[in-house]
């Protein structure tokens, strides 16, 4: 069985998952998407409203920014990488389905085996974690994202580069956010590690 088939089997197995309380409010499970042979995997924390409605990861406003980072900044198609979250159903405050929140420990414990299996199947050369929850989970740390971003770490011998979550960048100035410079710095480190051509100074900055 090839990687695509193994991922499809895993997705099928969790399509009706009820292993945690998020199953009670979700519209659909958001498994993840992209190239099963991807060299680079992005990991966020969980689906938001648009993701829950469409069943696809990172398709809302923060998804637009991530797509811009990948396509305009890195110069590759979004479909060339793989994008997933720690939990596959939308976590909202008091399960009211209005305001999003990071997944709690119980939800992460219930759902993370899916992500770990995705990583095992895809076996990316580099992982980029987006934001605090994904970084803390993968690196098994309580240190905040500000201290960790821009520095190489490792998960099961795979190099991990933590950076800010696109929604955090949007909440802090969007296109004019000073955080964009940090994210671009981290992206360039990833491209160097992968041996992808890195553009000159701000030539392709998203
Ligand atoms: S978040 Fe994960 S563990 Fe919880 S119901 Fe959804 S798929 Fe199952």
């Amino acid at each position: 069985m090839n990687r695509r088939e193994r991922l499809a089997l895993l997705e099928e197995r969790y399509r009706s998952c009820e292993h945690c309380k998020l199953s009670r409010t979700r519209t659909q499970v958001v498994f993840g998407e992209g190239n099963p042979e991807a060299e680079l995997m992005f990991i966020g924390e969980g689906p938001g409203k648009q993701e829950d409605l469409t069943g696809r990861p990172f398709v809302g406003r923060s998804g637009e920014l991530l797509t811009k980072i990948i396509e305009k900044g890195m110069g590759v198609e979004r479909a060339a990488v793989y994008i997933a979250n720690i939990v596959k159903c939308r976590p909202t405050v008091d399960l009211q389905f209005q305001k999003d929140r990071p997944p709690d420990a119980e939800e992460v414990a219930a759902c993370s085996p899916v992500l770990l299996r995705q990583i095992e199947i895809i076996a990316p050369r580099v992982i980029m974690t987006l934001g605090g929850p994904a970084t803390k989970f993968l690196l098994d740390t309580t240190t905040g994202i500000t201290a960790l971003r821009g520095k190489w770490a490792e998960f099961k011998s795979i190099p991990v580069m933590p950076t800010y979550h696109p929604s955090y960048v949007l909440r802090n100035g969007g296109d004019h956010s000073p955080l964009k410079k940090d994210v671009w710095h981290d992206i360039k480190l990833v491209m160097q590690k992968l041996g992808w051509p890195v553009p000159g100074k701000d030539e392709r900055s998203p």
Side-chain angles (χ1 to χ4, degrees):
M1 210 185 282
N2 64 30
R3 292 182 199 186
R4 186 175 297 281
E5 290 164 341
R6 286 157 74 199
L7 283 174
L9 199 66
L10 183 67
E11 182 170 10
E12 193 50 43
R13 198 177 304 150
Y14 281 88
R15 197 178 295 282
S16 310
C17 175
E18 293 181 353
H19 290 174
C20 84
K21 60 184 176 298
L22 297 181
S23 63
R24 300 206 296 266
T25 48
R26 70 164 182 246
T27 306
Q28 50 194 318
V29 171
V30 182
F31 181 72
E33 68 178 25
N35 179 4
E37 317 262 340
E39 293 193 312
L40 174 60
M41 184 168 179
F42 288 93
I43 300 176
E45 59 193 64
K49 184 178 177 183
Q50 291 307 319
E51 290 76 14
D52 173 74
L53 291 172
T54 58
R56 298 182 56 211
F58 282 91
V59 290
R61 276 191 71 219
S62 58
E64 278 172 24
L65 178 53
L66 179 62
T67 304
K68 204 165 140 191
I69 288 168
I70 296 167
E71 300 201 332
K72 187 162 176 270
M74 305 185 102
V76 298
E77 294 287 316
R78 176 177 153 127
V81 303
Y82 197 92
I83 305 172
N85 286 303
I86 315 173
V87 296
K88 311 303 186 191
C89 303
R90 183 185 176 198
T92 58
V93 174
D94 298 329
L95 297 187
Q96 292 294 307
F97 234 49
Q98 285 164 10
K99 197 173 179 330
D100 290 340
R101 62 163 169 82
D104 66 27
E106 196 182 289
E107 293 153 1
V108 170
C111 204
S112 53
V114 190
L115 174 68
L116 297 178
R117 186 77 187 113
Q118 285 173 303
I119 296 173
E120 200 177 294
I121 293 171
I122 296 161
R125 284 179 56 210
V126 172
I127 292 173
M128 196 154 201
T129 50
L130 303 169
T135 304
K136 285 177 183 171
F137 168 72
L138 216 63
L139 302 185
D140 192 20
T141 177
T142 53
T143 307
I145 183 68
T146 310
L148 294 174
R149 65 139 286 273
K151 300 185 187 98
W152 285 110
E154 229 178 55
F155 174 76
K156 294 190 176 174
S157 303
I158 302 171
V160 175
M161 175 54 66
T163 197
Y164 295 123
H165 194 285
S167 65
Y168 183 67
V169 176
L170 289 171
R171 283 199 306 276
N172 287 277
D175 267 350
H176 307 291
S177 173
L179 303 180
K180 270 187 78 178
K181 204 166 149 230
D182 292 337
V183 173
W184 182 227
H185 167 270
D186 305 344
I187 288 283
K188 285 199 282 191
L189 290 178
V190 166
M191 292 169 76
Q192 273 164 10
K193 177 77 85 182
L194 289 167
W196 294 359
V198 180
K201 193 173 178 299
D202 294 337
E203 190 185 312
R204 218 158 63 191
S205 167

